[in-house]
Amino acid sequence: MALWLVSCGGDVASGETDGSGGGGGGGAATKGGGGQPAAGGVAGNAAGNEGGGGAASTGGSAGDPLPSGKPIFVAVGYGGHRTRSLDGKHWQDHVIDDPNGGDDKTLLRGVSFADGVFVAVGERVLTSTDGAQWKKAAYTPASFLNQACALNGLWVAAGGNGLRVRSSDKAVTWEVSVSYMDGHFRGLACGKGRFVAVGQRNSTGMMSFSTDGMQWSEPSLGGAKLGRVAFGNGVFVAVGDAGRVATSSDGQAWSNSTLGTANRDMIMFSNGLFVTTEDGGFQTSPDGKTWTRVKSTGSFTAFAGAPGVWVGVLYPGKMHHGADLAKLTLGESTAPDFIQIAVGFLP
């Protein structure tokens, strides 16, 4: 089953300013779920550390046609917290590895769905076929992984210190394609037969692409550092610092624009729209170039969408839901906070 959409959520700070340090989560987070999201949609950052860069979207969105089956939401975040919802309103099957977890080895930085499997990543890889029961992959990343996505039966994940890995057996076993490089990849998306990773080297934006998850283009550098990236409607859209928005039809040649001046580290594609958060609401776009402001409840740290329902999280772990982005309603609250939400479709 192909990936249709993934949520976005802000990547936490890595505690490094240049990507040259060792692996691991790095900088300490405020225990119990990271700092309040800053204005402009920088959300879920561990301590606002400049080195963290924000990553978030959706990474992982392949923008495929709507799969059949029943949608299920899965949220992951601090302390290894993971939970699922069958309707976007009621959340169940909570698993918390450390209720006081911060930017550490328990943190799950991203979650995606494809081929009937949810894959959550951080300093470990977890898989689940239903969002309730989870298995830990035998592979232990040399650095943190921020995002995974799948295309043509291949799972690929990217993260800190340039780490990129690939799996051909639904995320059970992994092989390393690039083990170390100066810089961090914060977001990953797949579409048009390509995996596209974005991030930062020092304070400069960085992009790279691959057709097989093993051989990658030499990273292109320039502009403000980038957070997450999403794919939909035939285009890749990445967001970053100082309101940077980058669009590409192939993950190789990019056009840049700005959307405000605040840092952005969350973007997703769902229900035919790219969606990025900002203080007091969202911006939506069909193509990453023309944007429409949507006022909403607050500054969401993670969100996702499925036909007829949107789901968002306000710090700390306040789950919202609704059919209209402008009218999301508070449902259940649970901590530690969440970094990202994915939507899967099960039989």
Side-chain angles (χ1 to χ4, degrees), residues 113-167:
F113 177 85
D115 300 329
V117 179
F118 291 96
V119 176
V121 297
E123 293 190 48
R124 52 184 167 156
V125 177
L126 302 177
T127 64
S128 175
T129 57
D130 60 6
Q133 302 296 320
W134 294 85
K135 295 181 180 179
K136 184 178 182 296
Y139 169 68
T140 299
S143 184
F144 56 89
L145 293 170
N146 276 315
Q147 189 66 58
C149 73
L151 189 66
N152 299 328
L154 294 176
W155 275 94
V156 170
N161 300 309
L163 178 63
R164 278 152 287 172
V165 296
R166 184 182 78 170
S167 172

Side-chain angles (χ1 to χ4, degrees), residues 9-340:
D11 180 35
V12 298
S14 69
E16 300 171 26
T17 58
D18 59 6
S20 61
T30 303
K31 294 295 184 180
Q36 276 279 21
V42 178
N45 290 323
N49 188 305
E50 182 66 15
S57 187
T58 119
S61 173
D64 289 331
L66 178 65
S68 60
K70 183 178 181 179
I72 177 173
F73 295 88
V74 171
V76 304
Y78 289 92
H81 192 181
R82 45 204 187 270
T83 181
R84 69 172 185 163
S85 173
L86 302 180
D87 58 8
K89 180 178 181 180
H90 301 97
W91 295 84
Q92 62 192 60
D93 301 304
H94 292 266
V95 179
I96 301 173
D97 298 322
D98 180 0
N100 297 311
D103 183 6
D104 54 31
K105 292 183 179 297
T106 65
L107 174 63
L108 294 174
R109 296 168 178 261
V111 62
S112 304
F113 177 85
D115 300 329
V117 179
F118 291 96
V119 176
V121 297
E123 293 190 48
R124 52 184 167 156
V125 177
L126 302 177
T127 64
S128 175
T129 57
D130 60 6
Q133 302 296 320
W134 294 85
K135 295 181 180 179
K136 184 178 182 296
Y139 169 68
T140 299
S143 184
F144 56 89
L145 293 170
N146 276 315
Q147 189 66 58
C149 73
L151 189 66
N152 299 328
L154 294 176
W155 275 94
V156 170
N161 300 309
L163 178 63
R164 278 152 287 172
V165 296
R166 184 182 78 170
S167 172
S168 58
D169 57 6
K170 294 190 176 182
V172 176
T173 61
W174 295 80
E175 54 185 332
V176 177
S177 56
V178 181
S179 60
Y180 179 82
M181 185 196 70
D182 183 16
H184 298 312
F185 285 111
R186 301 296 180 182
L188 179 70
C190 49
K192 287 188 173 179
R194 293 191 172 192
F195 300 92
V196 175
V198 304
Q200 69 186 81
R201 180 174 293 174
N202 298 319
S203 59
T204 301
M206 179 172 67
M207 303 96 142
S208 183
F209 70 90
S210 172
T211 58
D212 63 2
M214 291 299 290
Q215 302 298 320
W216 289 81
S217 67
E218 183 68 20
S220 59
L221 304 173
K225 61 188 180 183
L226 292 166
R228 302 281 193 189
V229 58
F231 177 81
N233 288 342
V235 64
F236 295 92
V237 180
V239 295
D241 280 10
R244 182 182 180 183
V245 177
T247 60
S248 174
S249 62
D250 60 7
Q252 183 174 4
W254 294 83
S255 298
N256 291 284
S257 60
T258 56
L259 183 60
T261 58
N263 296 344
R264 295 181 182 274
D265 66 352
M266 297 198 295
I267 189 168
M268 65 169 291
F269 181 82
S270 180
N271 296 332
L273 293 172
F274 292 97
V275 184
T276 182
T277 61
E278 62 185 24
D279 188 27
F282 303 91
Q283 292 277 355
T284 67
S285 172
D287 56 10
K289 297 179 180 180
T290 303
W291 294 88
T292 301
R293 162 81 170 169
V294 178
K295 293 183 179 180
S296 192
T297 309
S299 300
F300 288 85
T301 60
F303 60 93
V309 60
W310 297 92
V311 173
V313 184
L314 290 179
Y315 177 86
K318 297 178 180 178
M319 311 300 283
H320 288 65
H321 65 280
D324 187 340
L325 274 176
K327 299 178 181 179
L328 298 182
T329 302
L330 175 63
E332 300 175 0
S333 297
T334 182
D337 202 17
F338 297 103
I339 294 293
Q340 198 170 57

